[in-house]
Amino acid sequence: MKTPNIPLNSVNAWIYLDEDDPKGTGYQSPNSSYQSLVNNNVYQYTDMLFVCFFSVIPDGKGYYTINIGNATKVHPGGLTTAQYLQNVINDSRKQNSGIQILATLNYNDTTLSQIFSGPASQWQVQCNAFATNLVGYLSSMNMNGLDIDWEGFFSQSITSPQFAMLFTAIRTAFNTQSAYYYLTLSPASVGTLDANTVNTCFDFLNLQLYSGFTFTQDYLNAGISPAMLGYGAQFEQGIGNSQNADQAYASYLAGFSNNGNNYSFPLITQWRLNSDNYPYEQSQQILLSQFVHSIQGSNFDDTAAVALNGKQPITALSINSGEVLDAIQATNGSGATQLALLQHGGNDGHATQINLNPGDVITEISGFTGDWFGRNCVVQITLTTKAGVKYGPFGTMSNVSSQAPFSYVAPSGQSLLAFKGSTVLITQADGTLSFIIASLAVSFG
């Protein structure tokens, strides 16, 4: 039927439109989870967005189509869920023109089984009509495909032959379009899925591995191609096995084994971007994207991730330095809300770990930029804390010319929260490549 279209290394997320957080806010409230997505550029770090939850509804002509669940529900501020959907589509595409937006079917109602509620002689006709209506809806909404939240009773509500009939019809309809439409499965249960249909009609699976009862081996045993199994992470707290970006990335990298063969997860998707703990979820989405895409050789800015995590001060630093500043990585806060940010720069030079004394904060960073073998870069930094403790200097400045000093001092009552700047790829004396810090600035708060 088709070769699955698997967007390798994509970092994806679900978003649930039927609730408002913080409570009492609406989509357009300045402090809403939705405006946080916009203000902190979170969509830039999201390759595919799965919008929850859609339902199968009658089309008024004896067949079925889809629509966003509770479409006419009025939220605080007066907008309906249908308007939320349109706003999410518009805002995400404005920020990230390449984002792929899929409609996720609700696992918690009859949905697909309605299509097979009539006599068996009409099932194929109903499947074909649903597939045609589905394409029409996705096209009208400027969306890119259909995702199935396959779990619980829902995963048992149609038979394997019905599964094959329906999703073959959908893939056939998708294949007739000039635009590409994705068909994906987000399972927590194997249920009655038909493995041959999954392997030939679907693009990939988002395994809900955070559920506590979803295991990669179950899908391999069912006959699903290992190349199609994506990693499902969870940043929402208090449900299933919650993770942070570090843990999710490590599990994603670890992959899985089957019959003596090792496999990599081709992509990773996390639940979700907008619970009542949305600052944490959104900051972890930013970090996860940076980890997976190994953002280097360009600008970096930790400010948004730190802001989403409550603007907690830096509590630890990892620094690599030799003749110049090779890399810097900050950790903000402590305990359950500790946030380890991405390392900026390469692994060369001498590694130093700094753990600030409890209650102490960094209030000043100073140093020099200069020319090092034809590269303008940060050649030395020194950090000073509120208690007067100095760390550094880091960077010997050997072979550096045209030194220019810089200094950033926190306003009264504030401290260093985040680094921003750029890295550059250099060729070392032994011919190997590495990144160094080309420029460095800071955010205080």
Side-chain angles (χ1 to χ4, degrees):
M1 174 68 67
K2 68 175 289 293
T3 300
N5 183 12
I6 304 174
L8 299 178
N9 299 319
S10 64
V11 180
N12 315 320
W14 287 278
I15 185 171
Y16 179 42
L17 301 189
D18 201 33
E19 72 177 46
D20 297 280
D21 288 300
K23 302 304 179 187
T25 63
Y27 190 96
Q28 295 171 324
S29 300
N31 61 328
S32 74
S33 62
Y34 300 101
Q35 293 308 305
S36 178
L37 287 164
V38 174
N39 295 335
N40 292 292
N41 299 312
V42 182
Y43 291 125
Q44 290 186 11
Y45 299 92
T46 307
D47 298 308
M48 304 186 81
L49 184 67
F50 299 90
V51 183
C52 303
F53 287 109
F54 281 73
S55 294
V56 174
I57 62 172
D59 70 349
K61 301 177 183 178
Y63 304 110
Y64 295 91
T65 187
I66 67 168
N67 198 16
I68 187 66
N70 294 323
T72 60
K73 173 183 174 181
V74 178
H75 294 256
L79 297 183
T80 64
T81 306
Q83 290 172 313
Y84 271 38
L85 171 62
Q86 192 61 68
N87 284 345
V88 165
I89 293 171
N90 293 342
D91 285 341
S92 61
R93 290 204 188 283
K94 186 182 301 182
Q95 191 177 115
N96 179 359
S97 62
I99 196 169
Q100 303 293 298
I101 304 173
L102 281 73
T104 296
L105 279 190
N106 194 345
Y107 69 96
N108 201 27
D109 57 32
T110 56
T111 56
L112 297 179
S113 60
Q114 299 175 84
I115 297 169
F116 301 97
S117 59
S121 61
Q122 292 298 306
W123 289 355
Q124 187 66 64
V125 174
Q126 285 285 359
C127 288
N128 292 344
F130 176 74
T132 299
N133 286 339
L134 174 62
V135 169
Y137 179 86
L138 295 174
S139 176
S140 69
M141 295 299 294
N142 193 23
M143 300 181 75
N144 305 102
L146 180 70
D147 176 52
I148 314 298
D149 188 349
W150 188 254
E151 58 180 298
F153 169 78
F154 181 68
S155 69
Q156 304 279 350
S157 63
I158 60 176
T159 66
S160 295
Q162 289 171 340
F163 183 100
M165 182 183 294
L166 176 61
F167 291 110
T168 299
I170 292 173
R171 174 47 65 191
T172 299
F174 281 4
N175 284 351
T176 65
Q177 308 305 307
S178 57
Y180 190 84
Y181 287 99
Y182 288 93
L183 181 59
T184 66
L185 197 72
S186 296
S189 309
V190 174
T192 59
L193 63 75
D194 178 73
N196 182 63
T197 303
V198 173
N199 290 335
T200 57
C201 296
F202 283 75
D203 293 288
F204 58 86
L205 286 71
N206 296 307
L207 296 182
Q208 297 181 38
L209 298 176
Y210 51 82
S211 69
F213 54 83
T214 302
F215 305 99
T216 304
Q217 194 62 48
D218 291 343
Y219 297 87
L220 298 172
N221 292 343
I224 305 301
S225 168
M228 297 180 66
L229 303 184
Y231 187 87
Q234 178 171 290
F235 297 155
E236 182 175 4
Q237 302 295 291
I239 300 176
N241 299 315
S242 300
Q243 299 167 295
N244 60 29
D246 291 329
Q247 294 165 333
Y249 180 59
S251 296
Y252 162 78
L253 282 184
F256 57 95
S257 299
N258 184 51
N259 294 328
N261 297 313
N262 296 322
Y263 297 93
S264 299
F265 289 110
L267 50 84
I268 184 168
T269 304
Q270 73 93 1
W271 175 266
R272 58 183 164 120
L273 291 174
N274 65 324
S275 82
D276 57 358
N277 197 26
Y278 68 88
Y280 178 81
E281 294 160 0
Q282 294 177 19
S283 68
Q284 298 307 297
Q285 178 73 11
I286 292 172
L287 290 177
L288 182 62
S289 177
Q290 292 176 331
F291 288 144
V292 172
H293 292 303
S294 299
I295 297 174
Q296 289 282 19
S298 60
N299 296 334
F300 61 85
D301 190 345
D302 294 334
T303 305
V306 172
L308 284 164
N309 202 47
K311 294 187 176 181
Q312 299 184 74
I314 291 174
T315 54
L317 285 169
S318 296
I319 296 175
N320 284 57
S321 62
E323 293 184 350
V324 299
L325 182 62
D326 290 274
I328 192 164
Q329 178 183 19
T331 297
N332 292 57
S334 59
T337 58
Q338 186 178 75
L339 180 66
L341 293 145
L342 185 71
Q343 175 178 310
H344 305 298
N347 293 319
D348 290 307
H350 175 72
T352 302
Q353 178 66 33
I354 299 171
N355 295 300
L356 272 67
N357 295 324
D360 202 6
V361 292
I362 298 170
T363 54
E364 181 179 356
I365 176 172
S366 59
F368 295 87
T369 58
D371 185 279
W372 183 62
F373 296 109
R375 290 284 190 181
N376 190 66
C377 59
V378 180
V379 297
Q380 187 181 87
I381 62 168
T382 300
L383 302 138
T384 305
T385 74
K386 182 179 180 180
V389 179
K390 287 188 179 293
Y391 297 99
F394 301 103
T396 65
M397 296 199 291
S398 297
N399 298 305
V400 171
S401 60
S402 304
Q403 300 169 11
F406 67 86
S407 177
Y408 301 106
V409 179
S412 178
Q414 297 187 20
S415 67
L416 176 62
L417 295 184
F419 292 103
K420 49 190 175 182
S422 62
T423 58
V424 64
L425 188 64
I426 56 108
T427 303
Q428 303 182 103
D430 62 1
T432 60
L433 300 175
S434 183
F435 286 96
I436 60 173
I437 304 296
S439 63
L440 192 65
V442 300
S443 296
F444 293 119

